[in-house]
């Protein structure tokens, strides 16, 4: 693994189903983030984690949950998907906090029908 | 409140210079970032300004005025590969958060 990876690349999901998007980084970064990107709205922060064991809510957290059991992994779970969660999801990591450059994963394109 | 404004789209000619503006209102300002994002790809870091003034990095320069809540990204000697979205983002001391603007889509034409 080099950098930050996400899985799956894309997914079509039926409404009401549970889905976990995976994110793994090998840079030993403390901070990790989940964003969704929708046309005309830019990147919106869903949840973040300053360091392993801690998480926080971003701008649009409803319907999503995260965990940070270790430094490398930061999965995002949709407990019961709805069509409005159709989006492109980017995971990012940074060495420290908001003054540090964020490195983004390749993204997951999720469609909820 | 927190708000970042940048133009939705711009068009420029190959070889020319283009300036993409960004204005922001945020509490606890902690630096301003510019990211580049090609269609279908992830954003990648271009520049970071925390003090007023101009930061030059090759063909790209970024300017910041904290008192005016204003930044611009200057792209010189435009190339076709510069066609992309450019995202202005502000670091916020109120939690570990970076606020992103909606992005400016730049089209470079021959």
């Amino acid at each position: 693994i080099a950098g930050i990876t996400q899985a799956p690349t894309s997914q079509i999901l039926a409404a009401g189903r549970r889905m976990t998007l995976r994110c793994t980084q090998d840079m030993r970064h403390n901070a990790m983030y989940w964003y969704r990107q929708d046309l005309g709205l830019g990147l919106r922060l869903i949840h973040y984690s300053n360091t392993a064991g801690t998480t926080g809510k971003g701008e649009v957290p409803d319907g999503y949950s995260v965990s940070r059991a270790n430094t490398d992994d930061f999965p995002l779970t949709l407990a019961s998907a709805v069509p409005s969660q159709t989006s492109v999801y980017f995971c990012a990591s940074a060495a420290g906090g908001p003054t540090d450059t964020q490195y983004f994963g390749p993204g997951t394109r999720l469609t909820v029908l | 409140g927190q708000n970042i404004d940048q133009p939705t789209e711009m068009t420029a000619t190959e070889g020319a210079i283009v300036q993409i503006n960004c204005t922001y209102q945020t509490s606890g300002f902690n630096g301003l970032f510019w990211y580049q994002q090609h269609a279908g790809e992830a954003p990648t870091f271009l520049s970071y300004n925390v003090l007023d003034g101009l930061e030059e990095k090759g063909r790209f320069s970024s300017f910041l005025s904290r008192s005016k809540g204003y930044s611009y990204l200057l792209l010189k000697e435009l190339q076709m590969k510069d066609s992309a979205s450019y995202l202005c983002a502000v670091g916020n001391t109120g939690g570990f958060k970076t606020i992103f603007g909606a992005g400016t889509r730049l089209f470079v034409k021959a």
Side-chain angles (χ1 to χ4, degrees), chain A residues 31 33 35 37 39-45 48 50 57-59 90 96-107 109, chain B residues 30-31 33 35 37 40-46 48 50 85 87 90-103 105:
Chain A
Y33 309 88
Y35 295 91
Q37 187 173 39
L39 196 62
L41 295 177
L43 287 163
R44 291 183 292 167
L45 182 66
Y48 65 94
N50 301 341
K57 293 182 179 180
E59 185 183 358
F90 286 102
T99 60
D100 292 320
T101 300
Q102 292 188 30
Y103 296 87
F104 287 81
R109 183 174 295 275
Chain B
N30 207 356
F33 298 85
Y35 286 83
Q37 185 178 24
E41 297 182 9
T44 56
F45 170 78
L46 283 178
Y48 173 65
V50 66
S85 288
L87 314 180
V90 176
N92 191 325
T93 56
F96 279 66
K97 299 172 190 173
T98 301
I99 311 299
F100 282 82
R105 282 202 298 173

Side-chain angles (χ1 to χ4, degrees), chain A residues 41-96:
Chain A
L41 295 177
L43 287 163
R44 291 183 292 167
L45 182 66
I46 304 171
H47 285 286
Y48 65 94
S49 171
N50 301 341
T51 188
T54 68
T55 62
K57 293 182 179 180
E59 185 183 358
V60 289
D62 294 343
Y64 306 95
S65 63
V66 291
S67 61
R68 186 87 184 276
N70 57 60
T71 298
D72 298 346
D73 301 300
F74 191 44
L76 176 74
T77 297
L78 289 68
S80 179
V82 295
S84 62
Q85 291 177 312
T86 293
S87 187
V88 179
Y89 291 85
F90 286 102
C91 179
S93 71

Side-chain angles (χ1 to χ4, degrees), chain B residues 15-55:
Chain B
I17 299 173
V18 71
Q19 178 174 312
I20 302 174
N21 295 324
C22 171
T23 58
Y24 64 89
Q25 290 178 301
T26 184
S27 56
F29 176 82
N30 207 356
L32 188 140
F33 298 85
W34 284 96
Y35 286 83
Q36 180 189 58
Q37 185 178 24
H38 286 100
E41 297 182 9
T44 56
F45 170 78
L46 283 178
S47 68
Y48 173 65
N49 294 65
V50 66
L51 300 176
D52 289 352
L54 187 69
E55 294 276 347

Side-chain angles (χ1 to χ4, degrees), chain A residues 13-55:
Chain A
L13 190 66
R17 297 297 294 268
R18 180 183 180 88
M19 176 74 192
T20 295
L21 307 185
R22 299 184 297 279
C23 175
T24 299
Q25 53 102 359
D26 66 355
M27 297 176 282
R28 308 304 293 172
H29 283 172
N30 284 320
M32 296 188 75
Y33 309 88
W34 273 107
Y35 295 91
R36 58 178 290 173
Q37 187 173 39
D38 303 289
L39 196 62
L41 295 177
L43 287 163
R44 291 183 292 167
L45 182 66
I46 304 171
H47 285 286
Y48 65 94
S49 171
N50 301 341
T51 188
T54 68
T55 62

